[in-house]
Amino acid sequence: MSLPSLTKKINNASPGSTANQTIFGVLLAISLVHLFNDSMQSVIPAIFPILKETMSLSYTQIGWIAFAINFTASIMQPVVGLFSDKRPTPALLPIGMGFTFTGMLLLAYASSYSAVLLAVVFVGLGSATFHPEGSKVSHMAAGNRRGLAQSIFQVGGNAGQSLAPLLTSLIFVPYGQFGAIGFTGVAAAGIIVQIFIARWYGRTIRSESFAKKHRNVGKIRPELKNRIAFAMIILISLVFVRSWYSSSIASYYSFNLIEGFGLSVGDAQIYIFLFLAAGALGTFFGGTLADRFGKRNLIFVSMAGSAPLALILPYANLFWSGVLLAVIGFVLISSFSVTVVYAQMLIPGKIGTVSGLITGLAFGLGGLGALIVGNWIDKIGISHVMQLCSFLPLLGVITFLLPSDRKLSEWTEGASEA
């Protein structure tokens, strides 16, 4: 679908239909921008081998770059979500992409380590602004198909992440760090699409059907607050484990392949692409399977199913490394959109805040994990650290501490009646 036809579909979308119909034009548009946003964010860890070589950086310094972009997104996402829940502001969508545009421009011309840190902070701010607002747009356009809508939205982001290693191989390997200048064009296209989405967003929040639906959202009953808080802590712990492991693969596994098998930077990135591309595919199917078999069950299977494969990965040969990375990516990341929807059901009526909290923590905790992993690699070597990280998915067993889907539905219905 071309960009003009997509923007036309957004303009023709009826705000009132969001109450019971799925607005696929809006979902495809916000998913496309998610692809733009996350592809630009993900080229940061993808170019770590290039930055390490050209600036003579240590693994710890690489970890600080990962921490800077992810921690910025982590802190600001729930803040943006909370502000938007209290005062919906459609203009935040193009403004956020403007931050990303600035970050990629600065990265192209960054001549020092501190300049790189500043550039990635701007990219992090753009991501922090986009994700809670993008998740809210997908929720508004979902109608009665929230799982599918969230999957469509998230698959765009995961697809963008998967493209980063290929973009690095095609752009940054031949052109170096200056290749980031090309992504300013991607950011500019994202700003244009965001303007059209923001107009639809504005029309929708002013519509009578949206106001009626918003008034009907209930509050959490006081006797449920402690149980919901405990469930949220467990969910956040699962996000932490998944993000830490995914970040260790996306940020450092290419170094392991280069060191262990003598691959070039470009060839090593292809294996990271397999992991992330399979994860994007898993995200799409994860939402659909969760609607059928249960959200908690899907979250458990994504963790438990990837755990034995993750334990084998550090000892696999080059061929099986590619196979295992693809399967692990598909299984592990399939629960990404499901955790967001699960959190939205735990705390109804706070879509922006909850989405910003969950996705923000995914970035922030992943960044914290990358910082710690980078420090470990400098001390004990990359192969030993990859072996340690392979145990992380085993912690997914705590999924069974979450309330079942049936219990969660009872809590949600109770909140609506309160």
Side-chain angles (χ1 to χ4, degrees):
M1 183 180 294
S2 66
L3 193 60
S5 64
L6 193 57
T7 54
K8 184 178 180 180
K9 281 183 176 291
I10 300 172
N11 281 332
N12 292 337
S14 171
S17 63
T18 58
N20 47 32
Q21 293 184 11
T22 305
I23 313 300
F24 285 102
V26 173
L27 290 174
L28 290 173
I30 200 67
S31 181
L32 176 65
V33 179
H34 203 177
L35 186 150
F36 290 165
N37 180 87
D38 283 24
S39 65
M40 288 181 285
Q41 180 176 339
S42 297
V43 297
I44 306 301
I47 64 171
F48 283 169
I50 294 173
L51 292 176
K52 186 177 187 300
E53 181 179 348
T54 58
M55 294 189 173
S56 301
L57 303 180
S58 67
Y59 284 107
T60 301
Q61 288 176 307
I62 290 292
W64 276 111
I65 297 174
F67 179 77
I69 184 172
N70 291 316
F71 191 72
T72 302
S74 175
I75 291 297
M76 293 306 298
Q77 278 196 47
V79 173
V80 172
L82 181 62
F83 172 81
S84 179
D85 282 337
K86 292 183 176 180
R87 185 179 177 180
T89 308
L92 286 173
L93 288 166
I95 289 172
M97 191 58 69
F99 284 131
T100 304
F101 177 96
T102 303
M104 298 311 294
L105 183 64
L106 290 174
L107 181 62
Y109 291 97
S111 57
S112 65
Y113 179 62
S114 58
V116 170
L117 288 174
L118 178 62
V120 301
V121 165
F122 269 97
V123 177
L125 285 173
S127 180
T129 306
F130 169 74
H131 280 96
E133 287 297 273
S135 188
K136 181 179 285 189
V137 167
S138 71
H139 180 82
M140 291 164 61
N144 296 324
R145 306 173 74 178
R146 290 176 57 186
L148 174 63
Q150 190 67 30
S151 290
I152 292 174
F153 171 65
Q154 295 293 350
V155 78
N158 287 348
Q161 293 174 27
S162 71
L163 289 175
L166 292 184
L167 293 172
T168 298
S169 181
L170 296 173
I171 297 175
F172 288 103
V173 170
Y175 299 106
Q177 184 183 329
F178 186 72
I181 196 70
F183 291 94
T184 59
V186 177
I191 291 172
I192 294 171
V193 180
Q194 292 283 57
I195 290 173
F196 283 93
I197 296 174
R199 290 175 180 173
W200 176 85
Y201 185 173
R203 295 198 307 269
T204 300
I205 61 177
R206 291 190 297 268
S207 68
E208 183 178 347
S209 62
F210 178 83
K212 181 179 179 181
K213 185 177 181 181
H214 192 69
R215 286 195 300 269
N216 289 337
V217 174
K219 295 182 179 179
I220 298 171
R221 293 182 303 182
E223 65 269 25
L224 292 176
K225 286 186 177 180
N226 289 338
R227 297 166 74 181
I228 289 174
F230 176 76
M232 184 61 75
I233 290 172
I234 297 300
L235 192 65
I236 289 172
S237 300
L238 291 168
V239 170
F240 179 38
V241 170
R242 186 186 60 207
S243 298
W244 192 334
Y245 182 78
S246 297
S247 179
S248 70
I249 297 296
S251 298
Y252 298 109
Y253 205 77
S254 60
F255 293 108
N256 189 58
L257 293 169
I258 292 169
E259 182 179 301
F261 299 104
L263 297 184
S264 66
V265 172
D267 289 341
Q269 291 300 321
I270 293 175
Y271 287 81
I272 308 304
F273 166 75
L274 290 174
F275 174 77
L276 296 173
L281 190 63
T283 299
F284 180 77
F285 285 102
T288 303
L289 291 172
D291 285 340
R292 182 172 182 180
F293 298 106
K295 298 174 183 62
R296 189 186 71 167
N297 292 340
L298 191 283
I299 294 171
F300 173 75
V301 169
S302 76
M303 302 294 291
S306 59
L309 302 178
L311 289 170
I312 296 171
L313 178 62
Y315 309 98
N317 61 26
L318 188 59
F319 172 79
W320 284 107
S321 292
V323 174
L324 289 170
L325 283 169
V327 178
I328 293 169
F330 181 91
V331 176
L332 182 68
I333 304 177
S334 65
S335 63
F336 190 94
S337 64
V338 180
T339 54
V340 176
V341 175
Y342 190 96
Q344 291 172 351
M345 292 181 66
L346 269 176
I347 307 178
K350 300 291 183 183
I351 302 302
T353 304
V354 172
S355 302
L357 179 65
I358 295 298
T359 56
L361 282 171
F363 290 126
L365 296 176
L368 177 62
L371 177 60
I372 295 172
V373 168
N375 186 268
W376 286 354
I377 292 173
D378 279 333
K379 292 180 178 179
I380 64 175
I382 193 164
S383 61
H384 291 105
V385 172
M386 290 296 104
Q387 291 168 11
L388 289 174
C389 288
S390 69
F391 287 90
L392 287 170
L394 287 173
L395 297 175
V397 70
I398 66 172
T399 302
F400 279 112
L401 296 176
L402 291 173
S404 66
D405 285 45
R406 181 177 179 180
K407 179 63 68 175
L408 190 60
S409 296
E410 291 175 2
W411 291 0
T412 303
E413 290 171 4
S416 297
E417 294 168 2

